[in-house]
Amino acid sequence: MAPRAMTGKLGPEALAAALAATGAADSAVRQGPAYGEDAAAIDLTGAGGTLVVAADPLSLAAESVGTLAVHVACNDVAASGADPRWLTHTLFLPDDDPDRLRTVVDQVDATARDLGCAVVGGHTEVLPALDRPLCSMTAMGTTDRFVSSGGAEPGDRLLLTKGAAIEATAILATDFRTECLDAGVPAATLDAAAGFLDDVSVVPDAAAVRDAATALHDPTEGGVATALVEMSAASGAVFAVERDAVPVRSETRACCDALGVDPLRTFGSGALLAAVPPSRVDGALGALDAAGIEAGAIGTVESADGDAAPGTVRIDGEPLAEPPRDELYPLWEARDA
């Protein structure tokens, strides 16, 4: 029997492998990740007026945890009107398997480079109590115009880019491939759906639409439905949405239908929700189209009144006042039972 991994920091040699995930080079980084260094240093001279910081942990998407961790954190920064630029990466591993470490850090490195981000620091540790890697990513970027989730105004139109459940589709096609095959989803459909990992970034989406938007929000856990509730609550408004107007890719429909998942109620990274004044909708959709990003209008922003409190979302007229529990969780729970 192999010896049980010890809880604690990685040694210098293993840490050197983790530090290979540096992402893009950035001249503003005064101190980056290095053995013996506990903090990063970034020169903000000449940067935008506002520093935007977002952090997210990721553990359940075992096959692509490093890739998704980068995208999820960077999406939050982009959905605030900023360009993500720096990352700190905290990684907990269930064992000291060098291949597992190499896989995660290579995913982080490649994804950060694709987005033009530098990994400037973090922490890597073995925690045998875990059964899969836990990756917590913090992203930072700067902007001259911060866009909150709470700026939507009555009369605004709600736009959604790419489609619902992009992230969930990739997870279903990889982590739940066997279950999908057993439920009749063709292998070719799953192969295409697994490629949706390439679409989970909303950095280009946000760059195209942020100048026109009064509010931005990216669906993550709980999907489009939860994002609508969160954004409407933050804006003190009511959102009216048509389900059939929400774009859903055919691969998403196939995977979700096979396993009984509502595409509007599951992990939605890859889509960007934007509130845009009516006079700027055509320009926003045109900018997205010019960037090669599909998008559509899915609803409108309304004033809260006595019949509907702020944070109420009506989908085809039916009120949704609370964010739903993500519908992928029961699938993980059934597997772990």
Side-chain angles (χ1 to χ4, degrees):
M1 178 180 295
R4 182 176 176 84
M6 297 294 288
T7 301
K9 294 182 180 181
L10 293 180
E13 292 183 4
L15 187 61
L19 295 181
T22 56
D26 192 317
S27 60
V29 178
R30 298 287 300 275
Q31 175 62 61
Y35 181 69
E37 294 287 352
D38 288 332
I42 299 168
D43 184 357
L44 293 178
T45 303
T50 301
L51 177 67
V52 178
V53 181
D56 269 295
L58 203 76
S59 64
L60 294 177
E63 296 296 321
S64 50
V65 64
T67 300
L68 287 173
V70 173
H71 281 312
V72 168
C74 287
N75 283 354
D76 283 340
V77 170
S80 298
D83 295 313
R85 186 169 173 182
W86 306 292
L87 298 166
T88 62
H89 174 207
T90 298
L91 176 63
F92 290 96
L93 297 165
D95 53 46
D96 53 8
D97 180 355
D99 291 335
R100 190 196 299 267
L101 173 64
R102 180 80 268 151
T103 296
V104 176
V105 298
D106 283 351
Q107 289 175 355
V108 170
D109 182 41
T111 310
R113 288 179 186 275
D114 286 346
L115 294 175
C117 295
V119 178
V120 298
H123 181 85
T124 306
E125 187 166 320
V126 173
L127 189 60
L130 298 175
D131 60 5
R132 56 174 66 92
L134 170 61
C135 187
S136 181
M137 194 72 61
T138 299
M140 294 165 277
T142 58
T143 181
D144 290 323
R145 180 177 180 260
F146 175 72
V147 183
S148 72
S149 297
E153 300 178 356
D156 284 351
R157 301 298 188 264
L158 297 170
L159 309 184
L160 188 77
T161 68
K162 295 205 283 288
I166 299 293
E167 177 186 2
T169 305
I171 294 172
L172 289 171
T174 52
D175 286 18
F176 293 93
R177 182 180 178 90
T178 299
E179 291 88 339
C180 286
L181 287 169
D182 290 344
V185 182
T189 298
L190 293 174
D191 291 343
F196 284 15
L197 278 178
D198 296 333
D199 295 333
V200 298
S201 174
V202 299
V203 173
D205 312 42
V209 76
R210 63 192 178 193
D211 288 344
T214 58
L216 295 170
H217 199 44
D218 69 307
T220 51
E221 181 181 341
V224 172
T226 292
L228 288 166
V229 172
E230 292 173 344
M231 189 170 169
S232 61
S235 299
V238 172
F239 287 2
V241 174
E242 297 178 15
R243 177 178 281 271
D244 287 346
V246 178
V248 179
R249 295 177 177 180
S250 60
E251 295 89 349
T252 297
R253 186 72 67 189
C255 293
C256 287
D257 285 353
L259 298 187
V261 174
D262 184 344
L264 271 61
R265 294 170 175 252
T266 188
F267 291 96
S269 293
L272 180 68
L273 182 63
V276 177
S279 63
R280 305 200 67 176
V281 168
D282 289 345
L285 291 174
L288 288 164
D289 183 64
I293 300 167
E294 297 180 4
I298 66 169
T300 58
V301 180
E302 301 176 352
S303 299
D305 54 33
D307 296 328
T312 297
V313 174
R314 297 191 185 102
I315 300 179
D316 291 342
E318 292 295 320
L320 175 68
E322 296 181 357
R325 185 173 189 250
D326 196 288
E327 295 194 1
L328 278 197
Y329 284 130
L331 299 181
W332 276 305
E333 290 166 355
R335 173 179 286 179
D336 294 339

